[in-house]
Amino acid sequence: MSAARIRCRGAAVCAAFVASLLAVAGCGTPGGQAKAPAPSKAPKAELSWKFEHIADFNGELTDVAVLAEDDIWATGAENDGNYASLLLHYDGERWSREPLPDALGDGEGYPPMLEEVGDKALWMRSMPRQEGVPQADAAAAKWAQWAGTRWSPVANPPPGAAGNLDATSPDDIWTLTGEQTAAHWDGTRWTTTRLPYKVSDLAVAGPDDVWAVGSRSTGPGTGTVHGEPYAQPASTHWDGTSWKPVDTPRARFDEPIPPEPVAGLNKVFALEDGQVRAYGTNSFNHGEVEPEPDDQYIRLRWDGAKWADQDPAPGQCELRTPVGQEKGGLFLDGNWYLTDDNRCVKIKRERLPLSTGARKASNQMLWLKEIHRIPGTDEWIGAGKVEVMQSGDPFGAPVVVRLERG
């Protein structure tokens, strides 16, 4: 994906690893204690998500792809008694429900994922649900591509259990295919390479400029603690010829070290100007000692020669990670926005109309799974659901939203 695209989901092949590093995403410095966010200045202009489409069923949208203002696709699941995957399309005039591509098979499993592999190229993959087999290990995905008028099978899909795709063009696609393997498509064939460490995320900063982050259990800082190696953050860079290990700052709790400590990076984000940022945690097995230390949040930036600590973001943005970028700032998880002049802005949201069944007294939360910028514009589209919490009849309303400014 490009830097303008959100990823609320991690690379599928690394879901178990990410979970081991904690799901809490924050901002801080290697070895730094988590702290309460400082207040930030009010934004110069408001940002808000406005409803573009509210689907008429209970469920959620799980992915969205925006090829043009009049060519938007979304996948999701209906949960009106029987769980069923679905596909929606917007043609510039109306949203319609479309059949899932034949190339994906019977449609059983989790909702399909959409992958943009260029400005006008769109792939879709099935997400099989196998009894007793983690979704991350399912290598039976089927692939389809949109040719402008119809869906057809992808002639050369990624090998193995591919994670999320990241591409600069349809002829330059990268994906993780295992804990220590990545695959590259050059327009002719897939080439699999081995990485020096176990990794959880990958980002393409440009042609022959690819980063992957994760953890290592050997080398400096990984000495045995409570009978197990103390895993440390790790990163590696592809320079066009091979993956090279990159010296990465270590993280360590003060003595006494809590049980089962593990440090690592779980997200890497490439900015449009070539900057690269990495995010992770230093955590442990909670509930075994008292008092417990705070988890530590790792926030790094590549300065062109080495990893350095990021400057802390203000307010609630301090504990958030980027999910998209535009001229002027970064979109952060949880519907927050960090401006280039370091102001933290909450992106507001609408309430559902009463006609949806949401009552005035209901509590409502907007959960976006993915956002995209409409190509050639500063407009953004997001997809997810509004969770409606009310007595007697809670439900989820699948929604597509558009960013409104000021």
Side-chain angles (χ1 to χ4, degrees):
M1 72 172 185
S2 71
R5 186 178 181 190
I6 186 176
R7 285 286 182 192
C8 291
R9 56 181 186 264
V13 296
C14 303
F17 171 74
V18 176
S20 74
L21 295 179
L22 287 184
V24 179
C27 292
T29 57
Q33 297 291 334
K35 56 185 178 182
S40 61
K41 298 179 180 179
K44 295 178 181 177
E46 287 188 353
L47 299 175
S48 59
W49 292 114
K50 299 294 185 181
F51 294 127
E52 184 83 359
H53 177 65
I54 304 173
D56 59 355
F57 56 86
N58 181 31
E60 65 176 336
L61 298 180
T62 55
D63 208 351
V64 66
V66 183
L67 300 182
E69 177 72 60
D70 59 356
D71 193 6
I72 304 174
W73 295 87
T75 57
E78 181 177 359
N79 193 17
D80 289 326
N82 293 313
Y83 186 90
S85 298
L86 56 88
L87 176 64
L88 300 178
H89 182 243
Y90 178 69
D91 62 5
E93 295 184 358
R94 67 186 183 92
W95 285 90
S96 59
R97 193 158 173 170
E98 301 285 338
L100 291 170
D102 292 339
L104 297 192
D106 57 16
E108 293 294 324
Y110 298 96
M113 289 173 58
L114 297 167
E115 299 284 1
E116 292 186 26
V117 291
D119 290 340
K120 295 293 182 180
L122 177 63
W123 291 2
M124 184 190 302
R125 77 168 95 179
S126 65
M127 297 295 289
R129 182 191 291 122
Q130 299 183 17
E131 191 67 30
V133 179
Q135 182 181 352
D137 294 337
K142 297 179 180 179
W143 295 77
Q145 61 183 346
W146 177 244
T149 58
R150 65 185 181 89
W151 291 95
S152 61
V154 174
N156 294 289
N164 298 323
L165 306 188
D166 203 353
T168 61
S169 73
D171 296 334
D172 185 20
I173 306 172
W174 282 89
T175 183
L176 296 177
T177 56
E179 285 187 330
Q180 254 181 284
T181 56
H184 178 244
W185 173 255
D186 63 4
T188 303
R189 64 191 178 96
W190 289 97
T191 301
T192 298
T193 52
R194 186 166 179 81
L195 296 95
Y197 308 118
K198 291 182 178 181
V199 298
S200 57
D201 197 20
L202 175 149
V204 178
D208 296 331
D209 185 8
V210 187
W211 290 84
V213 299
S215 68
R216 58 180 175 82
S217 56
T218 60
T222 62
T224 300
V225 176
H226 305 301
E228 296 290 336
Y230 193 154
Q232 289 296 311
S235 59
T236 179
H237 179 253
W238 175 265
D239 60 4
T241 59
S242 64
W243 289 102
K244 294 181 172 58
V246 178
D247 188 36
T248 309
R250 286 171 260 168
R252 189 177 182 88
F253 288 106
D254 293 333
E255 296 287 349
I257 297 176
E260 300 178 39
V262 55
L265 300 172
N266 51 35
K267 182 178 178 63
V268 59
F269 191 86
L271 303 184
E272 292 177 352
D273 61 2
Q275 292 186 60
V276 178
R277 301 183 183 184
Y279 302 81
T281 58
N282 181 29
S283 187
F284 61 98
N285 187 9
H286 289 265
E288 294 192 12
V289 295
E290 290 291 345
E292 288 189 340
D294 292 327
D295 287 332
Q296 299 172 355
Y297 303 107
I298 304 168
R299 299 296 179 260
L300 305 174
R301 61 178 177 84
W302 183 252
D303 66 6
K306 64 182 186 306
W307 288 112
D309 297 344
Q310 291 183 27
D311 294 331
Q316 292 294 325
C317 293
E318 185 179 5
L319 303 182
R320 306 283 171 179
T321 53
V323 295
Q325 182 193 12
E326 65 174 2
K327 183 179 180 179
L330 294 173
F331 292 90
L332 307 179
D333 62 74
N335 298 322
W336 289 87
Y337 187 91
L338 180 65
T339 67
D340 284 345
D341 59 357
N342 208 38
R343 290 179 297 109
C344 185
V345 179
K346 176 64 175 177
I347 304 178
K348 298 183 177 181
R349 59 172 176 80
E350 290 185 292
R351 287 180 62 84
L352 291 170
L354 299 180
S355 59
T356 63
R359 297 192 287 268
K360 287 184 177 180
S362 65
N363 292 320
Q364 299 181 21
M365 295 290 294
L366 173 63
W367 301 100
L368 294 181
K369 288 296 185 72
E370 187 136 353
I371 64 173
H372 277 278
R373 181 165 44 202
I374 299 175
T377 76
D378 64 354
E379 296 287 308
W380 287 78
I381 296 291
K385 72 174 180 178
V386 175
E387 185 176 358
V388 179
M389 295 159 282
Q390 57 188 14
S391 61
D393 188 24
F395 66 95
V399 296
V400 179
V401 295
R402 182 185 293 260
L403 188 70
E404 185 176 278
R405 304 173 190 270

